[in-house]
Amino acid sequence: LKAGLFELADVLVVNKADRDGAAGVVADLSAHLDRLRPSGWRAPVLQTVATRGEGVPEVVDAVVAHGEHLRAVGLDRTRRREQLRQRLLDLVLDEVRRRAGGLLSEPWGLDLLDRVASGALDQHAAGAVLRRRLLERWEGDADPAAPETR
């Protein structure tokens, strides 16, 4: 059992509950969930037999109840904001990777890679060079007609 599982999971589902040992897994999970989360939500441990549809309505009810709990304590907005924050960071990082990869394909970028590979240049120094070139190129590519959000 990993501690992170209990920090992340809002509803725990043990599938194939008709198999030997399933009840023990449920008991073990439940025993580890004795600590309440700061939000007051204790993740339920549910059993299903998906091939027969057993326990599925209870899973749906638990997910709905968790959503209601998040709204009641105001965490739905907090989670949504964090999801949006991560998505925006991912979009920016994807663009940085794309542009940096393009720069490293140029002759000077290939030379930079060769110098790092040969040990003539430290990776951190090469990263600084790449960052400087990336920022210079990015600023030069700015679209003056693009609206800025402030």
Side-chain angles (χ1 to χ4, degrees):
L1 294 171
K2 300 275 187 188
L5 171 72
F6 300 104
E7 294 170 9
L8 295 175
D10 297 316
V11 176
L12 296 168
V13 179
V14 176
N15 191 33
K16 300 183 182 181
D18 55 340
R19 302 246 174 123
D20 287 342
V25 171
V26 170
D28 288 346
L29 291 172
S30 296
H32 281 85
L33 288 171
D34 285 339
R35 293 180 292 141
L36 288 177
R37 288 183 172 182
S39 69
W41 178 260
R42 182 186 184 277
V45 182
L46 305 172
Q47 299 180 60
T48 62
V49 180
T51 56
R52 297 193 303 242
E54 293 175 12
V56 174
E58 290 82 0
V59 171
V60 171
D61 290 346
V63 170
V64 169
H66 182 256
E68 290 169 355
H69 169 75
L70 289 178
R71 282 186 291 285
V73 297
L75 287 177
D76 58 329
R77 289 188 190 110
T78 303
R79 280 191 173 188
R80 180 68 179 143
R81 185 181 184 118
E82 182 54 32
Q83 288 170 341
L84 290 171
R85 176 186 177 280
Q86 192 58 52
R87 180 65 182 133
L88 290 173
L89 287 173
D90 288 345
L91 289 170
V92 171
L93 291 174
D94 288 347
E95 183 67 11
V96 168
R97 283 186 185 97
R98 187 185 70 74
R99 288 179 182 234
L103 290 177
L104 288 173
S105 298
E106 294 180 5
W108 73 266
L110 295 171
D111 180 59
L112 186 70
L113 288 170
D114 289 342
R115 290 172 50 209
V116 172
S118 71
L121 184 63
D122 174 80
Q123 292 180 38
H124 298 285
V129 170
L130 180 59
R131 275 192 309 274
R132 189 184 79 243
R133 291 271 184 120
L134 180 62
L135 289 172
E136 289 169 358
R137 182 74 57 90
W138 205 316
E139 288 174 359
D141 289 349
D143 180 1
E148 289 285 326
T149 303
R150 300 202 192 286

